[in-house]
Amino acid sequence: MISTASFDFVADLQRRETAMRCEPGKEYLVEARLLPLAREAGYEDVDAYVARLRVDAAARADAVDALTINETSWFRDLAPYQTFTDTMLPALLESRAHVRHLELWSAACSSGQEAYSLAMLLRENLPPGWTATIHATDVSRAMLTRVKAGRYSQVEMNRGMPATRLVRWFERAGSEWQVSEELRSMITTEQLNLAAPFPPMRRFDVVFLRNVLIYFDAQTKSDILRRVHHTVAPDGFLLLGTSEYALDAGPGWQREVSGKTWMHRPEGARPATPAAGAAGPAGVRGGAGSAPARPLATTVPATATASFSSTLGTVARAGTGATLPTSLTPQGA
Amino acid sequence: MHALIIDDSTTMRSILRRIVTGLGYTTAEAGDGQQALDQMEAGPLPDLCLIDWNMPVMDGYTFVTRVRDREEWRDVTLMMVTTESEHNQIVRALAAGAHEYVIKPFTPDAIIEKLDLLGLVPQEATA
Amino acid sequence: MTTTTDTPVDTVVRVEDVRALLDGVWESFLGAEEPLLTAALPAHLGGWTAAVSVTGTWRAQITIEVVDPLARLVTAHMLGRDEEPAVEDVRDALGELVNMVGGNIKSLHHGTAMLSLPWVGYGEDAPPPLLRETCRLDLTWRGLPLRVLVHVSASAAAADERRHSG
Ligand SMILES: C[S@@+](CC[C@H](N)C(=O)[O-])C[C@H]1O[C@@H](n2cnc3c(N)ncnc32)[C@H](O)[C@@H]1O
């Protein structure tokens, strides 16, 4: 088992570099994540490896990367992406008609699945003549290198990528799959530590800040949300993770619900969802305001699978089968 | 929800069985495509088939085409779970009527996320 | 650089690719905590041999050799059971393992090829391959040895060598 001194050193390193907390009790996790690196570098145990970290900056960067939780998947949790196509995109197509361009930000993008998932939805749904850029940032340079390469292992491809999109947007590249140049060209990358002051940034129409705030303490969270506020267009959208949306975002934010997704919006933004009770377009349920929407139907409507599968026969012209199937598993129901 | 797990490996069937029973499914198993067709004839009809590609007697691809020939089996969701991972093989399987495709190896999360895409994760499993 | 026109498909199997695919199989079904480690192993491991072959626009055989204790450990893990697995279970688990590794290796190439059903034996060699070794991984897991071999069609391998030494 890792010694207390080694653990403290590693926890402190992690906090300094990423603001992520690594509290006592997580010794097992640290050990499990560092052991492969230790073995690879020829050390018998983690303590010997940590001794090396004290004097080797390059090894420290690798260790921080290994300790960081990069867990991600394509179209993670589904519902936010559905809300993106069903609610946010229609609103933005109206409000940005004069520029015909959208700016998105995937903050804490990990290996890029979030950014590329959005790129696919944009390519499949943007009207001709429109363009979009997705700015992908993370504290880890190793992750940004991966985003730029756009290459994913077989195991990663399995995580939430609909087969129709796999065949449409990816090519085999050795043991991996590579995302098409068309999508890669929509992505810009930048190393950015959310816990530190931001460099000058553009205004974004949509910000995905998902599954990263949970790792920070309350003060860091609220600092980040304040900084992010300056980067979101007055009528823009901020999406937090499924376990994060309930947190108090602090001043300047209002919440709006669409389906089972909570969106944070700068105060004063005109609701993007049709007024409660009004019949919205397919897929948009629930209304504006702060009351949670009724969960979606609790059983699988016969049409859900059928309508999705009907798009599957058209792999060759998959551009028409762009929308995600209705997801039918309400959270917190 | 009822799943028919079609794979010639008992190990793989056991892995898949543990994942879907964890979601609340009942399961039946078949060691090849022909056995699976026989079981579907006999009933009960599954909501979901998890289908390996390379199997003796009748492979999974042929099984998919046979199921798609039958109007009354239209509502059965077909998901390939196979080591076949060439781009064109995936296209073939989808064109033949498979709804989703998981490449072996996979983690339990991968199967569950794919079923979620298909609206086939019973809601009590996520509650 | 010399190019050959007589081999329709590139038959290089890069050892890094095989390793990446093997790691994927291992992490998915046997957990990421204990990694596979590179090791120096004796020529003959003794124990189980599991193989699949690829035939089509390129030809190959993928073989996994493991000592019996590791075979049983892997089987118990895959089945999620603590008790000692039966011999039939070991045979099946190793067959599925080589099927996954072999199927993934098959897809490294663009040609059309078919994967055979797995062949698994104990204390015997795989069917003598009319092929020659192009890739070998000597590894240990939890201190127990295993070996992964990829053989390709001899003529293809020769053509390949010409191309890469050119
Ligand atoms: C769990 S992943 C989430 C990825 C993706 N947003 C999602 O929801 O799937 C968390 C990511 O946050 C990054 N991260 C951790 N601390 C950070 C910081 N201080 N600034 C920016 N990114 C950070 C990690 O490198 C990791 O890639």
Side-chain angles (χ1 to χ4, degrees):
Chain A
M1 188 50 136
I2 186 169
S3 74
T4 312
S6 299
F7 178 78
D8 290 347
F9 174 81
V10 169
D12 191 50
L13 174 67
Q14 177 81 343
R15 191 158 35 236
R16 266 200 325 269
E17 301 285 325
T18 69
M20 285 193 168
R21 292 167 300 167
C22 181
E23 271 139 13
K26 295 282 170 67
E27 285 86 355
Y28 168 77
L29 200 81
V30 168
E31 171 115 25
R33 289 192 163 237
L34 291 186
L35 190 63
L37 273 81
R39 293 271 173 80
E40 197 62 38
Y43 294 96
E44 255 312 299
D45 61 38
V46 170
D47 285 326
Y49 179 66
V50 171
R52 167 88 205 160
L53 294 183
R54 291 175 190 270
V55 297
D56 184 339
R60 274 203 297 278
D62 290 346
V64 170
D65 275 337
L67 287 167
T68 305
I69 295 157
N70 298 316
E71 167 81 8
T72 190
S73 55
W74 307 99
F75 302 96
R76 184 169 183 172
D77 302 326
L78 270 180
Y81 292 92
Q82 203 166 352
T83 301
F84 175 75
T85 18
D86 292 351
T87 305
M88 297 185 248
L89 206 50
L92 290 167
L93 289 180
E94 223 169 89
S95 59
R96 299 294 182 271
H98 57 299
V99 285
R100 297 218 249 169
H101 178 78
L102 299 180
E103 289 281 348
L104 280 68
W105 180 20
S106 168
C109 61
S110 186
S111 34
Q113 283 85 335
E114 182 174 276
Y116 285 120
S117 297
L118 289 168
M120 285 173 221
L121 294 180
L122 286 164
R123 270 285 180 261
E124 293 167 3
N125 290 289
L126 276 183
W130 282 68
T131 55
T133 305
I134 302 153
H135 196 47
T137 69
D138 200 283
V139 71
S140 159
R141 288 184 198 280
M143 285 300 125
L144 296 171
T145 308
R146 292 211 50 202
V147 177
K148 273 182 263 184
R151 290 172 72 128
Y152 299 93
S153 74
Q154 200 94 263
V155 175
E156 289 171 321
M157 291 311 294
N158 271 336
R159 299 288 313 274
M161 172 65 70
T164 38
R165 292 208 169 99
L166 181 145
V167 297
R168 179 168 182 205
W169 295 113
F170 291 82
E171 281 299 333
R172 286 297 302 227
S175 62
E176 300 177 310
W177 293 84
Q178 184 168 41
V179 71
S180 72
E181 171 58 30
E182 191 183 348
L183 297 188
R184 272 183 288 145
S185 68
M186 296 170 71
I187 310 275
T188 58
T189 58
E190 184 182 9
Q191 198 249 353
L192 188 140
N193 184 353
L194 291 166
F198 295 173
M201 300 259 274
R202 329 161 215 181
R203 286 270 174 153
F204 296 103
D205 302 308
V206 178
V207 176
F208 272 54
L209 176 66
R210 307 195 69 231
N211 305 302
V212 62
L213 291 182
I214 33 168
Y215 302 111
F216 303 131
D217 61 31
Q219 183 61 49
T220 311
K221 276 183 199 154
S222 87
D223 288 348
I224 292 173
L225 284 165
R226 188 170 32 76
R227 281 193 287 270
V228 169
H229 192 275
H230 297 298
T231 72
V232 180
D235 59 347
F237 301 86
L238 167 68
L239 263 272
L240 301 178
T242 306
S243 59
E244 297 162 328
Y245 71 85
L247 66 86
D248 175 18
W253 293 103
Q254 67 190 36
R255 279 193 298 186
E256 186 179 335
V257 73
S258 167
K260 52 183 189 178
T261 307
W262 287 92
M263 307 176 288
H264 280 85
R265 312 203 57 199
E267 229 156 48
R270 200 161 56 87
T273 39
V284 180
R285 302 195 200 171
S290 54
R294 285 227 4 90
L296 298 184
T298 51
T299 50
V300 183
T303 52
T305 316
S307 69
F308 184 50
S309 53
S310 70
T311 67
L312 288 160
T314 59
V315 172
R317 46 182 186 87
T320 49
T323 47
L324 286 163
T326 310
S327 173
L328 303 148
T329 48
Q331 271 115 21
Chain B
M1 292 285 219
H2 185 59
L4 177 56
I5 302 170
I6 312 161
D7 198 304
D8 55 335
S9 162
T10 54
T11 312
M12 188 47 67
R13 296 206 300 266
S14 146
I15 290 169
L16 289 168
R17 187 193 332 120
R18 276 174 281 145
I19 297 170
V20 296
T21 53
L23 294 175
Y25 276 78
T26 54
T27 60
E29 295 177 22
D32 64 64
Q34 186 57 53
Q35 271 183 27
L37 285 179
D38 294 346
Q39 290 199 25
M40 286 182 55
E41 295 282 1
L45 210 56
D47 301 286
L48 168 73
C49 292
L50 301 175
I51 312 152
D52 186 20
W53 192 307
N54 294 306
M55 292 182 287
V57 188
M58 182 192 288
D59 66 38
Y61 176 79
T62 310
F63 172 79
V64 168
T65 59
R66 292 289 175 81
V67 172
R68 282 295 159 249
D69 283 345
R70 297 277 293 263
E71 187 57 24
E72 67 276 27
W73 290 349
R74 199 187 43 199
D75 292 338
V76 179
T77 299
L78 305 178
M79 181 155 96
M80 301 299 294
V81 182
T82 166
T83 183
E84 289 291 327
S85 47
E86 285 96 328
H87 193 274
N88 62 336
Q89 293 289 76
I90 304 174
V91 173
R92 271 182 76 204
L94 295 177
H99 298 86
E100 257 306 336
Y101 201 106
V102 175
I103 298 166
K104 294 176 183 174
F106 55 83
T107 55
D109 285 344
I111 299 284
I112 295 166
E113 285 157 1
K114 290 282 185 162
L115 293 179
D116 200 13
L117 283 174
L118 296 163
L120 285 176
V121 176
Q123 64 141 342
E124 55 273 24
T126 53
Chain C
M1 196 175 100
T2 9
T3 49
T4 45
T5 46
D6 52 343
T7 358
V9 191
D10 193 0
T11 55
V12 189
V13 177
R14 292 164 63 228
V15 76
E16 310 88 87
D17 282 337
V18 176
R19 178 65 201 255
L21 295 171
L22 185 68
D23 283 341
V25 171
W26 222 262
E27 281 168 25
S28 300
F29 294 115
L30 298 156
E33 296 82 34
E34 277 286 332
L36 285 165
L37 298 174
T38 308
L41 301 181
H44 281 281
L45 293 186
W48 293 89
T49 302
V52 282
S53 60
V54 175
T55 47
T57 49
W58 72 298
R59 294 187 35 194
Q61 175 171 295
I62 294 91
T63 312
I64 299 182
E65 298 174 11
V66 284
V67 295
D68 185 54
L70 181 53
R72 282 183 280 131
L73 193 59
V74 163
T75 306
H77 258 270
M78 289 178 80
L79 289 172
R81 289 199 214 124
D82 283 337
E83 70 259 36
E84 218 21 46
V87 171
E88 269 324 297
D89 290 337
V90 175
R91 195 175 282 281
D92 186 85
L94 293 181
E96 185 57 18
L97 212 54
V98 79
N99 169 54
M100 287 191 277
V101 176
N104 278 283
I105 290 175
K106 171 168 90 82
S107 60
L108 290 174
H109 293 286
H110 289 292
T112 20
M114 297 242 307
L115 192 68
S116 73
L117 294 174
W119 176 95
V120 184
Y122 183 79
E124 12 177 352
D125 279 325
L130 280 173
L131 307 169
R132 69 179 237 201
E133 185 179 314
T134 178
C135 172
R136 167 187 291 246
L137 286 172
D138 277 5
L139 305 161
T140 57
W141 192 63
R142 294 178 184 253
L144 297 166
L146 80 151
R147 171 172 292 141
V148 178
L149 295 164
V150 183
H151 289 80
V152 293
S153 138
S155 63
D160 212 58
E161 220 150 76
R162 281 202 301 284
R163 178 176 12 202
H164 285 269
S165 61

